[in-house]
């Protein structure tokens, strides 16, 4: 069971310890002036505070976060609805299966130019990119979760007079919750990728614009500061979902 | 409480297996009088669970009909509750909520349904385990949760699918006499599935023996033991052992 392996691997408590040797190595290599392109970690951190102070980073963060939240929320709501429908109704599944699987495996980045044509060179395209990156995995995992519920539980609920409207929140959704949360977490991680890629390609707003700008200006410590920001943002998000998983599915050990 | 009988008229049922239909039940004709305790006995896979689920309204027969009271069964109803062979407990809620789940679906307010649930938790000897989750319980304990849940909705007709199969022998005997007493008091109509001939004889008014592939009734056996049967010596009586021997004879022929 690949799914459960992924889950248990990510559910362990986050620890900074393995990061420490890497950080020390980075600092040392930076101080030895091995390459112009590897500044010491301490310098990157200092620069990070500098650009945060100058307001540039903060603005970029806020706009990135907004586009991520909007795109991801849309993907979450629509992904859950479609996933539940596909898990419950064979007809719906047959209809959408091919589309969903195609987009699941397709290189979504290649679609960004198409999205630009559709949504223009602004926020809209980035929201759409986030959506395209996270939507499909949420649908697939929700469908899987719903289909993996023990049919006996649904029969049991029906035998006590449960209607579809009662069975959905009381049996189907809680039963599918572990898979749904896995999908949501993977969707969020992909959504961050989508956010960065979209902003890189458009290079007009957010962290992506900063990346392109600092990269082109050879402001290497600043470039790393932005990259670190994205990484920290992802780690925080993943930890949030791990926390949710741990507290919501305590019954599955 | 109004007492209801159950009639099966010419029930047949097939399942699809590898593209071709396999006949599981063939022209089953059974009548369970109101307030009567009836058992089904038969080899594994002969269609006992299928029959029970058809009576419960969870499966639709391919042919024939089930009549309860004077009405044709078209789905589940508040007159019946099922003890499931595989327990069918919700893993994400505790014992208390599992036992109260039937009442919850039927819209009984929280305080009231938890009070009822606690009574039945006590009856199945699980007091103290109210806030345990199913994966913290043994198989026998889980089965008792399923039993309490079915009893808690207080149905006129109890459909029990090997309800004591996983409980230990002492508890099993206690539950058999408890069920016998409960039936004596409330005169519920009970349809009971078991693999145990002794259990069937001890509890039932009538026993239907089924054969496999396709499932049909090969013997209808009336138990003549006096009631109540909770007296100590009933299992030792000549009538009891003769009944068990007779059923064993019938079942042996089926192998
Ligand atoms: N949903 C289903 N799809 C396909 N075949 C089924 C299905 N349910 C039951 N069967 C088949 O029907 C037959 C009867 O099953 P059933 O569960 O009614 O047997 P049973 O008498 O209750 O057996 P046991 O004593 O082992 O519980 C079996 O051969 C089983 O494989
Ligand atoms: Mg069975």
């Amino acid at each position: 069971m690949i799914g459960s392996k992924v889950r248990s691997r990510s559910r362990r408590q986050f620890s900074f310890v393995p990061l420490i040797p890497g950080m020390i190595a980075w600092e040392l290599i930076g101080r030895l002036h091995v390459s112009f392109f590897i500044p010491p970690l301490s310098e990157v951190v200092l620069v990070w505070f500098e650009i945060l102070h100058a307001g540039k980073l903060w603005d970029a963060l806020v706009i990135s976060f907004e586009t991520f939240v909007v795109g991801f929320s849309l993907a979450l709501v629509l992904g859950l609805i479609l996933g539940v429908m596909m898990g419950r109704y064979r007809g719906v599944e047959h209809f959408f299966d091919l589309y969903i699987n195609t987009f699941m495996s397709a290189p979504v980045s290649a679609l960004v130019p198409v999205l630009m044509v559709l949504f223009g060179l602004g926020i809209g395209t980035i929201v759409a990119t986030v959506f395209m990156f996270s939507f499909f995995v949420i649908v697939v995992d929700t469908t899987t979760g719903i289909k993996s519920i023990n049919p006996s539980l649904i029969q049991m609920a029906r035998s006590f007079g449960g209607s579809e409207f009662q069975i959905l929140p009381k049996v189907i959704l809680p039963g599918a919750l572990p898979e749904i949360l896995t999908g949501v977490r993977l969707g969020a991680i992909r959504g961050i990728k989508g956010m960065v890629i979209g902003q890189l390609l458009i290079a007009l707003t957010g962290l992506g614009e900063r990346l392109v700008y600092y990269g082109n200006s050879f402001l290497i410590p600043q470039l790393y500061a932005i990259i670190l920001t994205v990484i920290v943002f992802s780690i925080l998000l993943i930890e949030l979902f791990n926390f949710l998983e741990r507290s919501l599915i305590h019954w599955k050990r | 409480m109004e007492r209801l009988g159950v009639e099966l008229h010419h029930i047949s049922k097939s399942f699809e297996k590898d593209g071709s239909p396999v006949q599981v039940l063939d022209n089953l004709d059974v009548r369970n009088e109101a307030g009567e305790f009836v058992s089904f006995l038969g080899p594994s896979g002969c269609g006992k669970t299928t029959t029970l689920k058809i009576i419960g309204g969870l499966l639709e027969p391919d042919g024939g009909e089930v009549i309860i009271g004077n009405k044709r069964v078209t789905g589940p109803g508040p007159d019946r509750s099922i003890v499931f062979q595989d327990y069918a407990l919700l893993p994400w809620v505790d014992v208390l909520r599992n036992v109260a789940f039937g009442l919850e679906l039927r819209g009984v307010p929280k305080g009231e349904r938890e009070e009822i649930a606690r009574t039945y938790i006590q009856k199945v000897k699980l007091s103290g385990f109210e806030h345990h989750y199913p994966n913290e319980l043994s198989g026998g304990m889980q089965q008792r949760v399923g039993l309490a849940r079915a009893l808690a909705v207080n149905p006129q007709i109890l459909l029990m699918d090997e309800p004591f199969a996983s409980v230990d022998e002492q508890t099993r005997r206690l539950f058999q006499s408890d069920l016998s007493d409960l039936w004596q008091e409330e005169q519920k109509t009970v349809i009971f599935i078991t693999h145990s001939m002794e259990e069937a004889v001890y509890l039932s008014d009538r026993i239907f023996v089924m054969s496999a592939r396709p499932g049909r009734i090969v013997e209808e056996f009336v138990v003549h033991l006096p009631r109540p049967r909770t007296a100590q010596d009933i299992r030792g009586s000549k009538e009891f052992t003769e009944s068990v021997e007779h059923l064993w004879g019938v079942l042996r022929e089926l192998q």
Side-chain angles (χ1 to χ4, degrees):
Chain A
M1 287 212 5
I2 292 167
S4 63
K5 214 168 165 185
V6 168
R7 195 175 309 125
S8 61
R9 203 175 345 125
S10 60
R11 264 214 251 167
R12 62 171 164 59
Q13 293 282 346
F14 182 76
S15 161
F16 279 103
V17 179
L19 290 180
I20 293 172
M23 289 159 77
I24 293 174
W26 181 353
E27 182 68 22
L28 286 178
I29 295 171
R31 281 179 188 264
L32 290 172
H33 298 288
V34 174
S35 160
F36 169 69
F37 294 102
I38 308 180
L41 178 59
S42 53
E43 192 186 332
V44 173
V45 174
L46 283 177
V47 165
W48 190 85
F49 281 106
E50 244 168 57
I51 55 178
L52 182 69
H53 204 68
K56 293 250 158 57
L57 177 58
W58 187 246
D59 291 347
L61 255 179
V62 168
I63 193 119
S64 297
F65 188 68
E66 280 172 3
T67 50
F68 173 78
V69 168
V70 174
F72 178 67
S73 307
L74 277 174
L76 183 63
V77 172
L78 297 178
L80 283 179
I81 292 173
L82 184 59
V84 169
M85 300 283 289
M86 284 176 65
R88 280 308 273 162
Y89 306 106
R90 279 215 86 95
V92 182
E93 192 193 1
H94 279 311
F95 186 82
F96 285 104
D97 217 13
L98 192 63
Y99 294 101
I100 300 291
N101 280 318
T102 306
F103 278 110
M104 254 303 265
S105 45
V108 185
S109 325
L111 286 177
V112 177
V114 182
L115 296 176
M116 282 187 203
V117 175
L118 286 173
F119 294 97
L121 286 178
I123 305 286
T125 299
I126 296 164
V127 168
T129 311
V130 172
F131 178 87
M132 290 300 280
F133 268 77
S134 57
F135 176 69
F136 299 101
V137 70
I138 296 177
V139 174
V140 169
D141 277 11
T142 303
T143 308
T144 311
I146 297 230
K147 284 171 67 177
S148 69
I149 291 172
N150 179 0
S152 190
L153 294 184
I154 296 172
Q155 284 197 337
M156 180 277 291
R158 287 215 296 126
S159 83
F160 285 105
S163 65
E164 184 78 8
F165 280 112
Q166 287 175 304
I167 293 176
L168 188 67
K170 287 179 198 288
V171 180
I172 293 174
L173 290 180
L177 195 61
E179 270 82 9
I180 292 179
L181 286 180
T182 303
V184 170
R185 191 185 67 228
L186 295 177
I189 294 169
R190 285 174 168 226
I192 295 175
K193 275 192 213 163
M195 175 189 84
V196 175
I197 289 173
Q199 291 177 350
L200 275 177
L201 291 179
I202 291 186
L204 281 176
T205 56
L207 294 169
E209 184 267 340
R210 287 286 97 188
L211 280 175
V212 174
Y213 172 77
Y214 291 136
N216 290 344
S217 326
F218 288 94
L219 293 168
I220 303 304
Q222 283 81 345
L223 185 63
Y224 276 100
I226 301 293
I227 294 173
L228 269 190
T229 309
V230 175
I231 292 174
V232 170
F233 181 63
S234 325
I235 290 177
L236 287 179
L237 202 71
I238 292 167
E239 280 311 298
L240 173 72
F241 285 115
N242 283 344
F243 171 75
L244 274 181
E245 284 191 39
R246 273 196 301 273
S247 47
L248 287 178
I249 43 183
H250 55 89
W251 49 272
K252 197 167 190 171
R253 260 164 295 227
Chain B
M1 191 183 287
E2 187 200 359
R3 285 159 52 184
L4 295 171
V6 178
E7 295 165 35
L8 305 189
H9 294 294
H10 311 292
I11 295 288
S12 59
K13 177 80 185 169
S14 318
F15 285 114
E16 195 93 353
K17 182 144 200 233
D18 304 327
S20 55
V22 178
Q23 180 125 27
V24 173
L25 298 176
D26 180 28
N27 202 19
L28 219 60
D29 245 327
V30 174
R31 212 187 151 83
N32 187 2
E33 304 298 337
E36 191 187 25
F37 198 121
V38 162
S39 287
F40 284 83
L41 201 59
S44 189
C46 72
K48 303 181 294 294
T49 298
T50 306
T51 307
L52 202 78
K53 285 187 175 170
I54 288 174
I55 299 170
L58 294 174
L59 288 176
E60 212 172 320
D62 300 335
E65 54 184 9
V66 179
I67 306 286
I68 290 179
N70 290 316
K71 289 202 248 349
R72 185 168 187 264
V73 167
T74 54
D79 51 352
R80 283 153 288 159
S81 75
I82 304 179
V83 180
F84 288 86
Q85 185 174 10
D86 60 358
Y87 324 143
L89 304 182
L90 302 176
W92 53 87
V93 298
D94 60 12
V95 168
L96 182 63
R97 227 184 121 194
N98 263 299
V99 173
F101 192 65
L103 298 162
E104 181 180 337
L105 289 174
R106 291 179 188 185
V108 177
K110 192 171 159 96
E112 192 181 329
R113 68 179 186 245
E114 289 193 345
E115 196 183 314
I116 298 171
R118 280 178 204 280
T119 321
Y120 284 94
I121 287 171
Q122 199 170 12
K123 277 200 185 172
V124 298
K125 316 220 159 25
L126 282 176
S127 300
F129 289 94
E130 287 84 353
H131 298 298
H132 282 59
Y133 286 81
N135 68 352
E136 300 166 337
L137 304 178
S138 72
M141 292 161 92
Q142 294 185 33
Q143 188 153 47
R144 279 137 67 186
V145 176
L147 184 64
R149 180 180 59 197
L151 293 172
V153 295
N154 194 22
Q156 286 127 300
I157 302 165
L158 254 178
L159 307 172
M160 308 177 89
D161 199 347
E162 304 191 32
F164 307 147
S166 308
V167 300
D168 61 83
E169 188 62 29
Q170 301 96 288
T171 318
R172 176 188 265 255
R173 289 213 175 184
L174 276 174
F175 281 4
Q176 287 169 357
S177 57
D178 283 356
L179 180 61
S180 199
D181 284 341
L182 176 90
W183 177 84
Q184 197 82 35
E185 277 165 36
E186 305 193 5
Q187 301 279 297
K188 284 185 196 302
T189 307
V190 181
I191 298 180
F192 191 93
I193 293 175
T194 178
H195 279 135
S196 158
M197 294 164 275
E198 284 84 0
E199 185 167 85
V201 171
Y202 181 79
L203 291 168
S204 316
D205 296 315
R206 265 186 313 152
I207 300 168
F208 293 101
V209 182
M210 284 177 77
S211 71
R213 273 176 216 101
R216 51 163 75 102
I217 306 292
V218 290
E219 162 108 0
E220 179 186 336
F221 180 77
V222 180
V223 182
H224 286 296
L225 296 174
R227 299 255 188 199
R229 294 181 185 159
T230 35
Q232 276 295 309
D233 48 1
I234 195 97
R235 288 173 207 268
S237 71
K238 188 157 155 282
E239 179 92 51
F240 187 90
T241 41
E242 275 176 6
S243 302
V244 172
E245 275 311 304
H246 175 81
L247 289 171
W248 171 227
V250 177
L251 280 169
R252 198 170 36 195
E253 288 296 299
L254 291 177
Q255 299 305 314

